[in-house]
Amino acid sequence: MTVWICFLIAVFIFLALDLGVFNKNPHIISTKEASMWTAVWVSLSFAFSGVIYWLYQNGHVANPDQLKPAAATMKYITGYLIELSLSIDNIFVIAVIFASFKIPQKYQHRVLFWGILGAIVFRGLMIYFGVLIINKFSWTTYLFGGFLLFTAIKMLFNSEEDDFEPKESFIYRALGKIMPLTSETDGEKFFIPTKKGRAATPLFVALIVIEIMDVLFAVDSVPAILAITSDPFLVFSSNIFAILGLRSMYFFLANMLEKFSYLEYSLIAILTFVGIKMLLVHHYKFPEWISLGFIAVSLLAGVLVSLKLGSEKDLEE
């Protein structure tokens, strides 16, 4: 438990420094600043793979699957790349939510910050129960694998008519029945006094919608990483690092989402692969380098194709 406690303390120290020091005053996150923080988080995430190797080499963390240090490190990196790639869809939805509720750019970081705290708690619970279920009922891997294949097929044939509309969602309507809502804002406050009493501002509404949507996305991402490993620490740490980098990545990609439209097919390929891997888990085990290589190549191909076809489209226009 010492390693878990130290890891969580380090995460909360990072978050405290983020909001209390580096982003103490609300401001618009520039592309330059976002790219810098994205590089920082990605570098920290990959650097942590060295910590993983050290922990598993010296037996400082529980190792239920009896993984060798190199295998544990590779599983962590593979899991991190899966979570990072599946977070791209989350970025699209966050952009839609902020636009729908007209959240000023300089307050978006605060909403995402508190969203991260909630995501850590919910992801932790989902990972705990997911690992518990798989270890207790091995046949559930077939259910998770089938679900991932279903999700991949649904993404492939999903039409633009199914676009998410935050203000028409069940979440928004249910929240309106629970508490008073207002379209007014007062700086970065989540609640302000009105004639009907304290009412939730668009910032709070956006936070709740983002939180619920993250849980829904976790329904896809948690089974996907469980296809790589059921080791709780590897699953949790790779998940958390992907979530921590999500905010800076959002501000980095927010204005360039259309340029990476073909990444959707990369995600479909990754979900299909991990779904098949789970269905075959009791019959054939894919070598770790195949999983890592397939995911890395899928992401790279999606980025390159998006940039190439996007530049060709710009030239035609």
Side-chain angles (χ1 to χ4, degrees), residues 35-238:
S35 60
M36 180 194 74
W37 279 110
T38 299
V40 168
W41 282 116
V42 171
S43 298
L44 280 174
S45 302
F46 279 105
F48 192 73
S49 63
V51 177
I52 293 289
Y53 188 94
W54 176 76
L55 289 173
Y56 282 78
Q57 184 181 46
N58 295 284
H60 293 316
V61 67
N63 189 359
D65 296 335
Q66 299 300 309
L67 297 171
K68 292 183 178 179
T73 303
M74 197 169 291
K75 284 180 180 291
Y76 162 79
I77 295 173
T78 306
Y80 171 71
L81 289 177
I82 285 180
E83 292 303 315
L84 200 64
S85 61
L86 294 177
S87 294
I88 294 171
D89 258 7
N90 213 346
I91 290 175
F92 279 85
V93 173
I94 290 171
V96 171
I97 293 170
F98 281 151
S100 177
F101 293 110
K102 297 181 173 59
I103 306 299
Q105 282 187 314
K106 67 178 181 178
Y107 300 134
Q108 291 178 3
H109 181 276
R110 185 169 190 263
V111 174
L112 289 177
F113 171 85
W114 291 106
I116 292 298
L117 288 180
I120 290 174
V121 174
F122 288 123
R123 292 290 179 102
L125 289 173
M126 294 184 76
I127 289 168
Y128 173 78
F129 287 109
V131 170
L132 195 68
I133 289 171
I134 281 185
N135 288 334
K136 194 170 182 63
F137 307 103
S138 60
W139 54 267
T140 55
T141 55
Y142 298 123
L143 292 180
F144 286 142
F147 174 73
L148 292 176
L149 284 178
F150 169 76
T151 303
I153 294 170
K154 186 179 177 182
M155 287 175 65
L156 183 61
F157 294 102
N158 189 33
S159 64
E160 295 182 0
E161 295 176 1
D162 296 328
D163 287 345
F164 177 62
E165 295 291 344
K167 289 188 175 180
E168 297 177 9
S169 66
F170 170 78
I171 306 168
Y172 180 75
R173 294 196 303 271
L175 194 61
K177 294 177 180 179
I178 297 172
M179 62 180 68
L181 305 179
T182 179
S183 58
E184 298 177 13
T185 58
D186 183 7
E188 57 182 15
K189 293 180 180 177
F190 287 136
F191 295 91
I192 59 174
T194 64
K195 293 179 180 179
K196 296 181 180 180
R198 290 182 65 79
T201 66
L203 270 73
F204 182 77
V205 177
L207 171 62
I208 297 300
V209 176
I210 288 173
E211 206 71 78
I212 300 297
M213 293 306 298
D214 181 75
V215 172
L216 296 178
F217 276 108
V219 173
D220 292 337
S221 65
V222 171
I225 194 173
L226 288 175
I228 303 302
T229 178
S230 58
D231 184 300
F233 187 71
L234 295 179
V235 176
F236 185 71
S237 58
S238 58

